[in-house]
Amino acid sequence: MRRAFLLSLVIYALLLAGLIAPSGLVPPADSGANRGGSVLALSLLYVTYLVVCLLRAPGNVSLQITHTLSAERVGTNMPVVVTMTVTNTGPSLEEVLIEDDLPPGLTVCKGPGPDGREGSPRHLLELAHGKTVTWTYTIRGPRGYYAFSSVRAQARDPLGLIDRKQTFALSNAGRLFVLPPVLRLKYVAIRPRRTRVYSGLVPARVGGTGTDFFGVREYQAGDPPHWINWRATARHPDTLFSNEFEQERVTDIGIVLDGRRRANLYGVGPASRRRSQPDGTHPYPTIFEYSTLAAAALADAFLAQGNRVSLLLYGRFLRWTLPGYGKVQRERILRTLALAELGDSQIFADLDHIPTQLFPAHSQVVLVSPLLYGDSPLLTERTDDVEVLIRLRARGYQVMVISPDPVAFEVALIRAYPAPGRHQAGLHDVELAARIARIERRLMLQRLQRAGIQVIDWDVSQPFEQTVHCHLGRPLAWQRAVGGNP
Amino acid sequence: MTRVGVLCLASSGVGIAALAWGHWENGSVTLALAVLLFGALWLAAQCRTYLAAKCRTYRAAKWRWSQPVLRRLLGTGMGLRVWFSTLGLVITAAAAAAGFLLGAPSGWMIVGALGGLLAWDLTDLDRRLGFAGSADDLSTIKRRHLAWLGLAAATGLMLATAAVLIPLHFSFALTVLLALAAVLGLARLVSWLYQA
């Protein structure tokens, strides 16, 4: 339309010049009227062009669009094939540009698609009445939820001067969940104070049938003969004693993922900006991505052990996934994690507002967070996270904290992307600051451990499976025998 | 360079050359030189992609300093070409009108204006073709565009030439009346066609 406006402007300017010339405003050499007429004649060149464009201007754009995705849920950066079918139900279009509105974050894969042609969400074509065209292209993207809502069409006359734009809402709007990667953890040892009645893999602190030795009691009718503790019986000839084993049951586990922006403000400083791509994206994950990864891996492991697991996203608002078992619950949790994003809220600025009533009494609560503590300038005037966790523990919950180490994360980032001109002396300052920050963090973690909170300090440069295996792996038999369970 | 790009280059070159020659013949040396200067810049802008590619592939170390300079001067996107073609349309129209008013040969002026119009149109076609997916068949669109452009250019050229060559003498009042009627008629025509 800007072109049409420009052309109209040129025409009117020429008409004006043609009118002014004979009136004497422009000094003519001999015959002003003739020269003005020539300028008017010149405008015919442009008028003809404009009239041709107007005569061939496109009519109403009426398209029927079908949009399908090869998968509704995929892993991070896995390719998804988008198939678009467009049928022209209106008048013929001599030139139309059809473009799929890609949700931000998704990228189109280069190279030939499944049909062997280079895929693109945008196509310039001629579309006769009733004609149908189909094309495919491949996309991929980071963790998130993506909704395909509309397709834009822009029809033009053959000379491209007059255009009609129209946006078509997709009737079968596609949606795509890009789920976080799920690491397979072999075993995650937890000891909640209360378990459920169904048998599982979590030690229940109750004697009965099981595998681990729990104690010795007087023989009861029905006890299998190989349970009889002959040594104890030999010391008390009048009574028979049986071994008792610790029951193993399923339990309730609530995973809390800290999505507060202020608690995840790591890797966003100048070093992070230096590692940014020209389009603003980062080639390496943020610390929140590591938290999400940990939450997904833990949820998967707990569900695989048969436990009832729920998830609470704590950030701009509360997003609660009701407790449940099995594969369906795994899918629900992964989809919720796909939606997880950082946010700020005045109410949920600190962990004080975790709704504890969502978790059954004495159940296991797992918090995944880098934690805000001490004299952090990001803290509000109220409490730091350590105090809240200690209070949670005092209420009887078995609390576990998985904390991706922000100090190691930030230091690694600064080392990898030093500021221009910053040499060894500058990095020495960074090392000193990191040492102080590490000491503060270690003190904070010790406070938590002294309160009976299980803490896993995760240096994100190490694989999460390895960290979990070291801290929460199945204890060896002799460790179990001497009560070395976590 | 694409075929449309070559056509665009040719039409702008012909247009600029015609205008410059017309003004030169008329004795307006300054105007002719100004048109030539703009034409040189316009041609450089159109060859930008080609020159930039040459810069990238030129490996001589002593000329490597020229790469960022040329990139800065010539730009890196399609925008420069579009801007120059827009300026080109306005400047060729203005130069042709000035030529008519100063008594330059009308044939050269009309050819110059037509060259500017064609170059402006073809630059936009090149830009639009850039939106297409790599698998799109653009031959039909190009053919249709060139056919309609040829028709519009030929008709416009005939009408303009006829209007210049056929001597009609009107009084000033009648000229003003006719011009106003043309303006109003054109505005009505545009609005009617839009609604249609």
Side-chain angles (χ1 to χ4, degrees), chain A residues 299-316:
Chain A
D300 179 62
F302 290 141
L303 285 167
Q305 289 174 18
N307 298 303
R308 194 167 76 150
V309 181
S310 61
L311 176 74
L312 177 69
L313 292 185
Y314 191 87
R316 191 154 56 89

PDB file of all heavy atoms in Angstrom, chain A residues 299-316:
ATOM      1  N   ALA A 299      10.830 -36.650  39.257  1.00  0.00           N
ATOM      2  CA  ALA A 299       9.426 -37.070  39.126  1.00  0.00           C
ATOM      3  C   ALA A 299       9.351 -38.422  38.435  1.00  0.00           C
ATOM      4  O   ALA A 299       8.602 -39.319  38.858  1.00  0.00           O
ATOM      5  CB  ALA A 299       8.645 -36.016  38.339  1.00  0.00           C
ATOM      6  N   ASP A 300      10.144 -38.586  37.395  1.00  0.00           N
ATOM      7  CA  ASP A 300      10.149 -39.852  36.666  1.00  0.00           C
ATOM      8  C   ASP A 300      10.609 -40.996  37.567  1.00  0.00           C
ATOM      9  O   ASP A 300      10.004 -42.072  37.590  1.00  0.00           O
ATOM     10  CB  ASP A 300      11.066 -39.705  35.448  1.00  0.00           C
ATOM     11  CG  ASP A 300      11.155 -40.974  34.647  1.00  0.00           C
ATOM     12  OD1 ASP A 300      10.106 -41.402  34.131  1.00  0.00           O
ATOM     13  OD2 ASP A 300      12.249 -41.552  34.550  1.00  0.00           O
ATOM     14  N   ALA A 301      11.677 -40.741  38.340  1.00  0.00           N
ATOM     15  CA  ALA A 301      12.214 -41.803  39.199  1.00  0.00           C
ATOM     16  C   ALA A 301      11.222 -42.161  40.306  1.00  0.00           C
ATOM     17  O   ALA A 301      10.993 -43.343  40.588  1.00  0.00           O
ATOM     18  CB  ALA A 301      13.535 -41.344  39.799  1.00  0.00           C
ATOM     19  N   PHE A 302      10.616 -41.149  40.918  1.00  0.00           N
ATOM     20  CA  PHE A 302       9.669 -41.425  42.009  1.00  0.00           C
ATOM     21  C   PHE A 302       8.447 -42.177  41.492  1.00  0.00           C
ATOM     22  O   PHE A 302       7.944 -43.094  42.150  1.00  0.00           O
ATOM     23  CB  PHE A 302       9.231 -40.118  42.671  1.00  0.00           C
ATOM     24  CG  PHE A 302      10.314 -39.454  43.477  1.00  0.00           C
ATOM     25  CD1 PHE A 302      10.457 -38.073  43.473  1.00  0.00           C
ATOM     26  CD2 PHE A 302      11.187 -40.198  44.248  1.00  0.00           C
ATOM     27  CE1 PHE A 302      11.445 -37.459  44.209  1.00  0.00           C
ATOM     28  CE2 PHE A 302      12.189 -39.587  44.993  1.00  0.00           C
ATOM     29  CZ  PHE A 302      12.323 -38.219  44.971  1.00  0.00           C
ATOM     30  N   LEU A 303       7.971 -41.788  40.324  1.00  0.00           N
ATOM     31  CA  LEU A 303       6.803 -42.474  39.764  1.00  0.00           C
ATOM     32  C   LEU A 303       7.156 -43.904  39.365  1.00  0.00           C
ATOM     33  O   LEU A 303       6.345 -44.822  39.527  1.00  0.00           O
ATOM     34  CB  LEU A 303       6.268 -41.701  38.551  1.00  0.00           C
ATOM     35  CG  LEU A 303       5.510 -40.420  38.895  1.00  0.00           C
ATOM     36  CD1 LEU A 303       5.306 -39.562  37.662  1.00  0.00           C
ATOM     37  CD2 LEU A 303       4.164 -40.746  39.535  1.00  0.00           C
ATOM     38  N   ALA A 304       8.373 -44.078  38.864  1.00  0.00           N
ATOM     39  CA  ALA A 304       8.785 -45.431  38.482  1.00  0.00           C
ATOM     40  C   ALA A 304       8.858 -46.341  39.701  1.00  0.00           C
ATOM     41  O   ALA A 304       8.683 -47.551  39.592  1.00  0.00           O
ATOM     42  CB  ALA A 304      10.142 -45.367  37.796  1.00  0.00           C
ATOM     43  N   GLN A 305       9.090 -45.755  40.887  1.00  0.00           N
ATOM     44  CA  GLN A 305       9.115 -46.548  42.123  1.00  0.00           C
ATOM     45  C   GLN A 305       7.713 -46.786  42.666  1.00  0.00           C
ATOM     46  O   GLN A 305       7.544 -47.381  43.723  1.00  0.00           O
ATOM     47  CB  GLN A 305       9.947 -45.826  43.183  1.00  0.00           C
ATOM     48  CG  GLN A 305      11.430 -45.829  42.896  1.00  0.00           C
ATOM     49  CD  GLN A 305      12.202 -44.980  43.892  1.00  0.00           C
ATOM     50  OE1 GLN A 305      11.709 -44.662  44.964  1.00  0.00           O
ATOM     51  NE2 GLN A 305      13.407 -44.602  43.519  1.00  0.00           N
ATOM     52  N   GLY A 306       6.712 -46.267  41.979  1.00  0.00           N
ATOM     53  CA  GLY A 306       5.324 -46.518  42.373  1.00  0.00           C
ATOM     54  C   GLY A 306       4.753 -45.490  43.318  1.00  0.00           C
ATOM     55  O   GLY A 306       3.647 -45.679  43.848  1.00  0.00           O
ATOM     56  N   ASN A 307       5.441 -44.406  43.563  1.00  0.00           N
ATOM     57  CA  ASN A 307       4.960 -43.407  44.525  1.00  0.00           C
ATOM     58  C   ASN A 307       3.888 -42.510  43.924  1.00  0.00           C
ATOM     59  O   ASN A 307       3.724 -42.455  42.704  1.00  0.00           O
ATOM     60  CB  ASN A 307       6.135 -42.559  44.995  1.00  0.00           C
ATOM     61  CG  ASN A 307       7.178 -43.383  45.696  1.00  0.00           C
ATOM     62  OD1 ASN A 307       6.879 -44.059  46.670  1.00  0.00           O
ATOM     63  ND2 ASN A 307       8.391 -43.381  45.175  1.00  0.00           N
ATOM     64  N   ARG A 308       3.200 -41.808  44.826  1.00  0.00           N
ATOM     65  CA  ARG A 308       2.215 -40.825  44.379  1.00  0.00           C
ATOM     66  C   ARG A 308       2.898 -39.463  44.387  1.00  0.00           C
ATOM     67  O   ARG A 308       3.334 -38.998  45.442  1.00  0.00           O
ATOM     68  CB  ARG A 308       1.003 -40.817  45.310  1.00  0.00           C
ATOM     69  CG  ARG A 308      -0.176 -40.074  44.731  1.00  0.00           C
ATOM     70  CD  ARG A 308      -1.415 -40.351  45.509  1.00  0.00           C
ATOM     71  NE  ARG A 308      -1.454 -39.630  46.772  1.00  0.00           N
ATOM     72  CZ  ARG A 308      -2.557 -39.221  47.371  1.00  0.00           C
ATOM     73  NH1 ARG A 308      -3.737 -39.476  46.816  1.00  0.00           N
ATOM     74  NH2 ARG A 308      -2.519 -38.596  48.516  1.00  0.00           N
ATOM     75  N   VAL A 309       2.983 -38.859  43.212  1.00  0.00           N
ATOM     76  CA  VAL A 309       3.809 -37.656  43.064  1.00  0.00           C
ATOM     77  C   VAL A 309       2.948 -36.483  42.610  1.00  0.00           C
ATOM     78  O   VAL A 309       2.045 -36.656  41.773  1.00  0.00           O
ATOM     79  CB  VAL A 309       4.945 -37.906  42.033  1.00  0.00           C
ATOM     80  CG1 VAL A 309       5.827 -36.672  41.879  1.00  0.00           C
ATOM     81  CG2 VAL A 309       5.788 -39.095  42.439  1.00  0.00           C
ATOM     82  N   SER A 310       3.214 -35.332  43.175  1.00  0.00           N
ATOM     83  CA  SER A 310       2.562 -34.101  42.720  1.00  0.00           C
ATOM     84  C   SER A 310       3.655 -33.070  42.423  1.00  0.00           C
ATOM     85  O   SER A 310       4.803 -33.232  42.839  1.00  0.00           O
ATOM     86  CB  SER A 310       1.615 -33.562  43.792  1.00  0.00           C
ATOM     87  OG  SER A 310       2.345 -33.262  44.957  1.00  0.00           O
ATOM     88  N   LEU A 311       3.265 -32.040  41.701  1.00  0.00           N
ATOM     89  CA  LEU A 311       4.251 -31.012  41.324  1.00  0.00           C
ATOM     90  C   LEU A 311       3.653 -29.636  41.558  1.00  0.00           C
ATOM     91  O   LEU A 311       2.501 -29.377  41.204  1.00  0.00           O
ATOM     92  CB  LEU A 311       4.626 -31.163  39.846  1.00  0.00           C
ATOM     93  CG  LEU A 311       5.565 -30.089  39.302  1.00  0.00           C
ATOM     94  CD1 LEU A 311       6.974 -30.298  39.795  1.00  0.00           C
ATOM     95  CD2 LEU A 311       5.565 -30.094  37.786  1.00  0.00           C
ATOM     96  N   LEU A 312       4.419 -28.772  42.143  1.00  0.00           N
ATOM     97  CA  LEU A 312       3.990 -27.390  42.355  1.00  0.00           C
ATOM     98  C   LEU A 312       5.019 -26.468  41.719  1.00  0.00           C
ATOM     99  O   LEU A 312       6.202 -26.507  42.085  1.00  0.00           O
ATOM    100  CB  LEU A 312       3.881 -27.103  43.853  1.00  0.00           C
ATOM    101  CG  LEU A 312       3.511 -25.672  44.225  1.00  0.00           C
ATOM    102  CD1 LEU A 312       2.077 -25.370  43.832  1.00  0.00           C
ATOM    103  CD2 LEU A 312       3.690 -25.431  45.713  1.00  0.00           C
ATOM    104  N   LEU A 313       4.561 -25.678  40.751  1.00  0.00           N
ATOM    105  CA  LEU A 313       5.439 -24.650  40.181  1.00  0.00           C
ATOM    106  C   LEU A 313       5.210 -23.384  40.968  1.00  0.00           C
ATOM    107  O   LEU A 313       4.088 -22.881  41.046  1.00  0.00           O
ATOM    108  CB  LEU A 313       5.110 -24.404  38.710  1.00  0.00           C
ATOM    109  CG  LEU A 313       5.403 -25.513  37.715  1.00  0.00           C
ATOM    110  CD1 LEU A 313       5.126 -25.027  36.314  1.00  0.00           C
ATOM    111  CD2 LEU A 313       6.834 -25.952  37.819  1.00  0.00           C
ATOM    112  N   TYR A 314       6.254 -22.883  41.557  1.00  0.00           N
ATOM    113  CA  TYR A 314       6.144 -21.740  42.454  1.00  0.00           C
ATOM    114  C   TYR A 314       6.876 -20.574  41.816  1.00  0.00           C
ATOM    115  O   TYR A 314       8.104 -20.573  41.744  1.00  0.00           O
ATOM    116  CB  TYR A 314       6.781 -22.116  43.793  1.00  0.00           C
ATOM    117  CG  TYR A 314       6.530 -21.143  44.909  1.00  0.00           C
ATOM    118  CD1 TYR A 314       5.404 -21.250  45.703  1.00  0.00           C
ATOM    119  CD2 TYR A 314       7.433 -20.122  45.180  1.00  0.00           C
ATOM    120  CE1 TYR A 314       5.185 -20.369  46.741  1.00  0.00           C
ATOM    121  CE2 TYR A 314       7.209 -19.235  46.209  1.00  0.00           C
ATOM    122  CZ  TYR A 314       6.086 -19.370  46.987  1.00  0.00           C
ATOM    123  OH  TYR A 314       5.858 -18.497  48.010  1.00  0.00           O
ATOM    124  N   GLY A 315       6.133 -19.629  41.272  1.00  0.00           N
ATOM    125  CA  GLY A 315       6.791 -18.513  40.599  1.00  0.00           C
ATOM    126  C   GLY A 315       5.870 -17.325  40.540  1.00  0.00           C
ATOM    127  O   GLY A 315       5.500 -16.768  41.576  1.00  0.00           O
ATOM    128  N   ARG A 316       5.470 -16.956  39.328  1.00  0.00           N
ATOM    129  CA  ARG A 316       4.571 -15.819  39.173  1.00  0.00           C
ATOM    130  C   ARG A 316       3.212 -16.144  39.781  1.00  0.00           C
ATOM    131  O   ARG A 316       2.515 -15.296  40.297  1.00  0.00           O
ATOM    132  CB  ARG A 316       4.426 -15.486  37.684  1.00  0.00           C
ATOM    133  CG  ARG A 316       3.741 -14.191  37.398  1.00  0.00           C
ATOM    134  CD  ARG A 316       4.189 -13.651  36.066  1.00  0.00           C
ATOM    135  NE  ARG A 316       3.970 -14.604  34.985  1.00  0.00           N
ATOM    136  CZ  ARG A 316       2.851 -14.684  34.275  1.00  0.00           C
ATOM    137  NH1 ARG A 316       1.856 -13.883  34.519  1.00  0.00           N
ATOM    138  NH2 ARG A 316       2.736 -15.557  33.298  1.00  0.00           N
TER     139      ARG A 316
END
